[in-house]
Amino acid sequence: MDEQVKKSRKKRNPREHANLFTVLTFLYTFPLFLLGNTRDINESDLYETYTGHKASILGKQSQVLWQQELDNANTQKRKPSLLKVLVKILGWDFLLIGIAVGFENFIAQPCKALFLGGLIGHYAKKDCSGFPSYLYSLGIIVSTLFCCLIGQPYLMASYHMGLKMRVVCSSLIYNKILKLSPSSLRKSTPGYIINLLSGDINAFERVGFLLHMLWVCPLQAVLFLYLVWTKMGVASTFGIGFMVMFIPVYVLLGSILKKYRLKVSTRRDERIRLTNELIQGINVIKMYAWEKPFAEIISTFRKLEVDSMKKSTYLKGLFTFNEILIATSIFITIISSVLLNDAFEATAVFVTMNLFSSLGLTVTSFFPLSVAVLAELRISLKRISAFLQSQEIDLCAKSEDNESAVVITSGFAKWDEDGNRNTLTDINIHIKKKSLTALIGAVGCGKSSLFQVIQGELRLSIGQLCVNGSLSCAAQEAWIFSASIRQNILFGSEMDEERYMKVIDCCALETDLKLFPHGDQTIVGERGASLSGGQKARINLARCVYKKADIYLLDDPLSAVDSRVGNHIFENCIRAFLNEKTVLLATHQLQYLAYVDYVIALDEGAVQMQSSEKELEASKFDLSRYLSQDQSASRTHLDSMLKPGKVETHTQVQEARKSGFISIGTYKRYLFASNNPLFVICTVLSFVFAEMCISGSVYFIGHW
């Protein structure tokens, strides 16, 4: 397919063959930056996805591990844990990040503060010359270099870990969507699923780094307390105690933030669900001029969502007071030392400031954020895990009878599991391999429901289903996705030129493709806007037929085409191309019953007759009621071959691109988008004032 061609042309990712030094310094990204300096970067310059991040690898691994977790949970009679699956896949990544975080916080940062204290103490002496000053300076440089070489790579590794978690969970969700039972589909609205894929998965972005702060923070507090104690004595306990005192406050804020995060997710689910239902029924809303009432309803839901988001943001804003807490802790330590009449030097003050700055960033910023991220992670994992445990379609059992393709014994089924009325009642059918079986019946008699049962989409409440072989189905309502006609037919399968051309011919698409200017590369809309009903039906049929399967379920594919095209499809596709396959054809075209092997007649969800064509003639079964349905069938979708003057094609328009510098007007419009210039100016001035206060406090201590 086209995507595979593009993928094969992409350059190999430089991260694949990068050594340790280039990974730590990100030198492997320099060629792309140099290229961007000479010209604009386009799609052909992008690299192939890094092997460790590919969804094809992580997705398959996660599917296997999640199935194992489900089996173990059923055996041990407990709830399956998505966290265990993530630990098995990303446990080593998380451990390596933890080692790097620990090395920076417990070795590199304390050494930098101690070397700084040693350098200041050396110059405070009368004889400040000599070799020790060079050693202290070298120690500061090396420890700072180690912080850079370790800090930035482990932050990048943390984001990569978050990306992998997103890929794993997205793969599990997408795979689950394909297996959901009808009852689960009704409960899991599109808005709910979209929110899982967009909102909940975003909680994984900073997990790899911030979760380590939960154990780094208390250990770092103990270590730094000891180091400050050696410099400031008992006074150090007051400063660190003041800082640690705010940890329970931030934990409480994290629990409150968790509640608001849940409210935001719930209200967003409701808003997206309502918006989706509104779009589905937009024709009715337009017809009755209900736009304003429904717009007000959506605005109300959006307002509730925004209110929860505002409160959540205000709480997150309280986590940014770390600079104030750090400065206050240093002030309390120094004042306590003065009041206790403890002697201290400039060395002790600057070492204390350095250690408090590192500890304060961890205690007042990273630790509260880690608590909030942990709360969001627990909620997201709980929601995703609940979705992954939704009821699935039943996998069909395999019959020991090698002559049978489909066998249903005493089958009862209903769409509403809580209802009393059965959709299908006492179904007993036996379809042999390599046979052509026609399924006839009035509109609404249960033909499509029977197909859903065979596919496993509709569960049998009573009875047994056995299917021997793979399935391919052409649904009654044809659907087209936004891509080329070829991609709609291949649907991800490998291109087989000979089979593809045979499918095009037997599905009567050859003449249509010649009339399109781009042939089978013509882009069609998501709802097939550029195609007639018959064309969509034949592309839908071609997609089903192109797939190599043992059993083909064709749900009334001849109703949307005229008699000439219908004869061509029946003779060349159903009877000839699928001659060696098992075909179950639902149809109202009773003139084709003379050419099928078996006939099954349904009426009000029950099998009225099942026999061969000869037995049908001998039984003199009354087909008049089915014939009347055929005669009264709507002809609004009957399709004749396209006329050249009526061909509508959709072409992909290239996106407009501009190169150069961003204009000042763009920044101006961005800054004043709030329509409140005074608010913007005050915000900027507050940032400037805050930085002046932070820098001024350090300058004042140095001067003092």
Side-chain angles (χ1 to χ4, degrees):
M1 293 178 69
D2 296 342
E3 289 82 357
Q4 294 171 346
V5 174
K6 290 181 180 180
K7 183 178 178 181
S8 62
R9 292 177 181 174
K10 284 186 177 181
K11 302 176 184 177
R12 185 184 180 188
N13 196 306
R15 178 68 174 80
E16 300 282 0
H17 50 79
N19 55 43
L20 180 61
F21 179 74
T22 56
V23 170
L24 293 178
T25 57
F26 303 102
L27 286 175
Y28 64 90
T29 63
F30 272 33
L32 188 62
F33 285 104
L34 294 176
L35 180 64
N37 188 43
T38 57
R39 63 173 177 83
D40 292 337
I41 296 176
N42 51 47
E43 186 179 356
S44 61
D45 297 321
L46 298 179
Y47 299 117
E48 186 180 352
T49 305
Y50 179 55
T51 302
H53 301 160
K54 288 184 177 179
S56 57
I57 298 175
L58 292 173
K60 291 179 181 178
Q61 186 180 4
S62 63
Q63 291 294 334
V64 173
L65 292 176
W66 176 247
Q67 187 58 49
Q68 292 177 357
E69 176 62 21
L70 289 176
D71 296 338
N72 293 335
N74 291 332
T75 303
Q76 301 172 11
K77 296 181 180 181
R78 60 173 175 83
K79 291 184 178 180
S81 173
L82 179 60
L83 181 61
K84 289 185 177 181
V85 175
L86 293 174
V87 169
K88 290 179 181 178
I89 298 176
L90 304 171
W92 283 109
D93 294 354
F94 188 72
L95 179 61
L96 292 175
I97 294 172
I99 293 174
V101 171
F103 186 87
E104 181 190 21
N105 287 276
F106 299 137
I107 298 178
Q109 289 182 0
C111 287
K112 183 171 65 173
L114 295 176
F115 283 132
L116 177 63
L119 182 64
I120 295 174
H122 178 73
Y123 278 103
K125 298 177 182 179
K126 294 181 179 180
D127 184 15
C128 57
S129 61
F131 186 68
S133 61
Y134 296 103
L135 288 178
Y136 289 131
S137 300
L138 181 62
I140 294 173
I141 294 173
V142 171
S143 57
T144 304
L145 180 62
F146 267 105
C147 286
C148 294
L149 290 178
I150 294 175
Q152 298 305 318
Y154 80 62
L155 283 177
M156 178 64 75
S158 172
Y159 283 111
H160 283 177
M161 178 181 166
L163 173 65
K164 291 179 182 180
M165 293 178 70
R166 292 169 63 113
V167 171
V168 168
C169 292
S170 297
S171 300
L172 290 172
I173 291 172
Y174 281 124
N175 188 269
K176 184 68 177 184
I177 293 172
L178 301 176
K179 300 178 181 179
L180 288 177
S181 65
S183 59
S184 298
L185 279 173
R186 287 194 295 270
K187 297 176 183 177
S188 303
T189 62
Y192 173 72
I193 297 174
I194 291 173
N195 199 14
L196 287 178
L197 293 169
S198 58
D200 291 273
I201 290 182
N202 286 336
F204 303 147
E205 188 174 355
R206 298 175 295 174
V207 164
F209 164 66
L210 288 177
L211 286 188
H212 285 294
M213 292 297 110
L214 294 173
W215 65 269
V216 167
C217 177
L219 295 180
Q220 190 182 49
V222 173
L223 175 62
F224 284 19
L225 175 61
Y226 170 75
L227 295 176
V228 175
W229 180 285
T230 60
K231 301 293 181 181
M232 301 293 294
V234 180
S236 60
T237 59
F238 295 99
I240 293 182
F242 175 79
M243 192 180 297
V244 174
M245 183 177 63
F246 279 86
I247 293 180
V249 177
Y250 282 119
V251 172
L252 177 62
L253 291 177
S255 62
I256 299 174
L257 185 64
K258 173 184 174 182
K259 296 179 181 179
Y260 281 112
R261 172 72 176 80
L262 184 60
K263 283 185 179 180
V264 171
S265 299
T266 304
R267 289 173 177 175
R268 185 179 292 126
D269 289 344
E270 290 297 320
R271 178 179 59 83
I272 296 176
R273 179 190 61 80
L274 181 62
T275 304
N276 181 72
E277 291 178 356
L278 188 147
I279 294 173
Q280 296 285 340
I282 192 65
N283 293 334
V284 177
I285 294 172
K286 285 286 186 181
M287 183 174 65
Y288 289 101
W290 288 341
E291 295 94 331
K292 290 185 178 180
F294 276 95
E296 291 176 358
I297 293 174
I298 293 179
S299 298
T300 302
F301 275 91
R302 177 59 179 169
K303 184 179 179 181
L304 293 173
E305 180 186 351
V306 170
D307 289 342
S308 298
M309 292 174 65
K310 281 184 179 180
K311 294 176 182 178
S312 176
T313 305
Y314 291 150
L315 288 174
K316 288 181 180 180
L318 297 176
F319 293 154
T320 61
F321 289 155
N322 59 305
E323 294 293 345
I324 297 175
L325 290 176
I326 292 171
T328 306
S329 299
I330 296 173
F331 175 76
I332 291 175
T333 301
I334 296 175
I335 292 297
S336 300
S337 181
V338 172
L339 294 177
L340 293 173
N341 296 320
D342 291 337
F344 60 88
E345 301 175 347
T347 302
V349 173
F350 281 97
V351 170
T352 301
M353 286 180 59
N354 198 296
L355 292 174
F356 269 53
S357 297
S358 300
L359 179 62
L361 189 64
T362 303
V363 173
T364 63
S365 181
F366 291 148
F367 185 78
L369 283 176
S370 65
V371 173
V373 167
L374 179 62
E376 292 185 4
L377 178 65
R378 292 178 61 185
I379 293 175
S380 298
L381 289 178
K382 184 178 180 181
R383 284 165 54 87
I384 295 173
S385 181
F387 175 76
L388 294 178
Q389 296 175 56
S390 301
Q391 188 182 65
E392 297 182 359
I393 57 176
D394 290 335
L395 297 177
C396 305
K398 186 173 181 179
S399 174
E400 298 180 358
D401 184 6
N402 294 327
E403 297 297 323
S404 302
V406 178
V407 178
I408 300 179
T409 306
S410 302
F412 291 79
K414 52 186 176 182
W415 288 105
D416 186 4
E417 296 181 354
D418 298 327
N420 297 322
R421 185 174 180 273
N422 289 316
T423 305
L424 297 175
T425 305
D426 196 20
I427 300 296
N428 291 276
I429 62 173
H430 182 276
I431 299 174
K432 294 184 178 181
K433 290 185 176 181
K434 298 183 180 181
S435 65
L436 172 57
T437 303
L439 183 63
I440 62 174
V443 175
C445 69
K447 299 188 296 296
S448 297
S449 297
L450 181 58
F451 279 3
Q452 298 283 350
V453 169
I454 295 174
Q455 295 176 83
E457 297 284 349
L458 178 60
R459 298 180 61 190
L460 287 177
S461 55
I462 302 175
Q464 185 178 8
L465 166 67
C466 296
V467 177
N468 289 336
S470 56
L471 294 169
S472 182
C473 179
Q476 185 176 20
E477 185 177 351
W479 61 275
I480 303 294
F481 59 91
S482 183
S484 66
I485 295 176
R486 173 179 290 191
Q487 291 170 333
N488 270 274
I489 295 174
L490 296 181
F491 200 51
S493 301
E494 294 291 335
M495 179 62 177
D496 185 342
E497 190 69 30
E498 182 180 358
R499 182 178 180 85
Y500 180 78
M501 295 309 299
K502 288 181 179 179
V503 170
I504 294 294
D505 176 64
C506 70
C507 292
L509 285 169
E510 189 172 1
T511 304
D512 300 88
L513 296 182
K514 289 180 180 178
L515 296 177
F516 287 111
H518 304 292
D520 62 356
Q521 296 297 333
T522 302
I523 302 298
V524 293
E526 183 178 356
R527 297 186 182 273
S530 63
L531 301 174
S532 67
Q535 287 172 324
K536 287 192 288 185
R538 282 180 280 135
I539 291 176
N540 187 58
L541 175 63
R543 182 192 302 121
C544 169
V545 173
Y546 182 82
K547 178 187 175 182
K548 295 180 180 180
D550 301 312
I551 304 168
Y552 291 86
L553 306 178
L554 310 181
D555 195 354
D556 209 5
L558 307 176
S559 62
V561 298
D562 60 21
S563 58
R564 181 166 61 88
V565 178
N567 289 331
H568 176 89
I569 293 175
F570 185 79
E571 292 294 334
N572 294 276
C573 179
I574 298 175
R575 294 191 65 193
F577 189 79
L578 300 178
N579 183 40
E580 295 298 319
K581 303 293 183 180
T582 304
V583 180
L584 182 57
L585 171 66
T587 183
H588 293 289
Q589 315 291 328
L590 303 186
Q591 66 270 24
Y592 298 120
L593 297 186
Y595 306 100
V596 302
D597 299 320
Y598 300 95
V599 179
I600 299 175
L602 284 179
D603 187 16
E604 296 184 354
V607 176
Q608 300 298 320
M609 180 272 301
Q610 178 180 357
S611 63
S612 64
E613 188 273 333
K614 293 181 179 180
E615 294 173 347
L616 177 62
E617 290 183 358
S619 65
K620 297 181 180 182
F621 185 76
D622 183 17
L623 296 175
S624 59
R625 47 184 169 176
Y626 306 118
L627 183 62
S628 62
Q629 290 290 342
D630 177 51
Q631 297 298 331
S632 61
S634 172
R635 294 296 179 181
T636 57
H637 296 293
L638 289 183
D639 174 59
S640 57
M641 290 299 184
L642 277 173
K643 297 180 181 180
K646 295 184 179 180
V647 176
E648 293 183 17
T649 60
H650 289 184
T651 58
Q652 288 182 318
V653 180
Q654 194 73 16
E655 291 184 356
R657 299 183 60 184
K658 289 185 179 181
S659 59
F661 296 99
I662 300 176
S663 63
I664 298 177
T666 303
Y667 289 110
K668 183 179 178 182
R669 288 193 299 271
Y670 175 77
L671 288 174
F672 295 99
S674 63
N675 296 323
N676 192 344
L678 181 61
F679 176 76
V680 175
I681 294 173
C682 291
T683 302
V684 173
L685 290 177
S686 64
F687 279 114
V688 174
F689 180 73
E691 290 299 324
M692 290 177 61
C693 291
I694 294 170
S695 301
S697 63
V698 178
Y699 174 79
F700 174 76
I701 292 177
H703 178 72
W704 175 66

